[in-house]
Amino acid sequence: MAAYTSISGTFGKLSVQVGLRGEYTRTSGLSITLDELNERNYFKLFPTAFLQYKIDEHNELLLNYAYRIERPEYNRLNPAKRYASPYNIYVGNPALQPSFVQNIELGYSYNKRYHVRASYTLKHDLFTNINIQDNETKIYFGTQANLGLSRSTSLQLSADFTPAAWWDINVLAEGYWQQEKSPYLSSSYDFNIIS
């Protein structure tokens, strides 16, 4: 069950829109083969905010913030075994939890054609596929798990050109840094990439 409200207004050169979504989640999943019942019962609030400031007719700034939820799909939760071979199995995880994502973005636009955007995204309880090998049975299986956090920062530059009435050109350049970090088994996992 969910309810959403938003409010917006313009105050001189500043346009504002804020929203709040409240979600009550109640789920129940019974696995007869595992003889296991997984129930969830929680209430969460998810705010959003959008601010746009027109410096003048050519220049504007914007700021966006959002807090949201990403729920795992059914196949990630389903504990039924799917065999690729007698030694390679995929098993869903009925105890998998949703991820919670916060995103903030700051942008600048000139003449609505040239744009610069910087963003930061943070995911808690990131869910992803993990692979496990059982050395005694020689069985290798994939499953899903919540693995700590993921964060990324990006900078994006874009421009739109119209050299002729029949020709539009959109140019985009982006750089980002991403990190995924989690305790895993008896160690920890820390992955970073810059692109």
Side-chain angles (χ1 to χ4, degrees), residues 27-195:
T27 62
S28 180
L30 173 64
S31 171
I32 295 170
T33 55
L34 295 177
D35 190 29
E36 186 176 277
L37 177 65
N38 283 286
E39 294 183 306
R40 292 187 183 87
N41 188 2
Y42 58 88
F43 177 75
K44 291 278 188 185
L45 293 173
F46 301 100
T48 58
F50 172 80
L51 289 84
Q52 182 180 30
Y53 183 74
K54 291 193 175 189
I55 300 167
D56 56 37
E57 70 176 86
H58 301 290
N59 300 280
E60 64 183 40
L61 296 171
L62 66 88
L63 178 66
N64 288 321
Y65 171 79
Y67 180 51
R68 61 188 190 281
I69 187 171
E70 289 182 359
R71 291 184 177 83
E73 303 89 1
Y74 174 75
N75 68 322
R76 293 180 187 260
L77 299 168
N78 185 354
K81 293 179 181 177
R82 288 166 281 198
Y83 288 85
S85 76
Y87 298 102
N88 189 354
I89 303 168
Y90 177 81
V91 181
N93 179 359
L96 197 62
Q97 298 294 319
S99 293
F100 294 94
V101 183
Q102 293 186 73
N103 183 66
I104 190 162
E105 180 181 79
L106 178 63
Y108 167 74
S109 181
Y110 176 72
N111 273 349
K112 300 192 184 290
R113 297 176 70 109
Y114 307 100
H115 313 278
V116 178
R117 290 187 186 226
S119 68
Y120 177 75
T121 303
L122 179 63
K123 283 187 184 182
H124 287 279
D125 295 325
L126 169 73
F127 51 83
T128 189
N129 187 59
I130 60 169
N131 297 307
I132 299 170
Q133 179 177 319
D134 185 332
N135 292 327
E136 290 181 18
T137 63
K138 306 283 192 251
I139 292 177
Y140 172 87
F141 69 96
T143 189
Q144 297 288 315
N146 291 99
L147 292 180
L149 66 87
S150 169
R151 67 177 126 210
S152 63
T153 303
S154 71
L155 180 64
Q156 186 182 84
L157 308 171
S158 63
D160 304 322
F161 301 100
T162 307
W166 50 270
W167 187 15
D168 290 327
I169 299 175
N170 300 308
V171 179
L172 174 69
E174 181 176 19
Y176 69 89
W177 166 79
Q178 183 173 353
Q179 177 189 39
E180 291 182 1
K181 189 173 184 178
S182 175
Y184 183 62
L185 299 176
S186 59
S187 184
S188 65
Y189 168 80
D190 192 349
F191 173 78
N192 291 273
I193 187 170
I194 295 175
S195 180

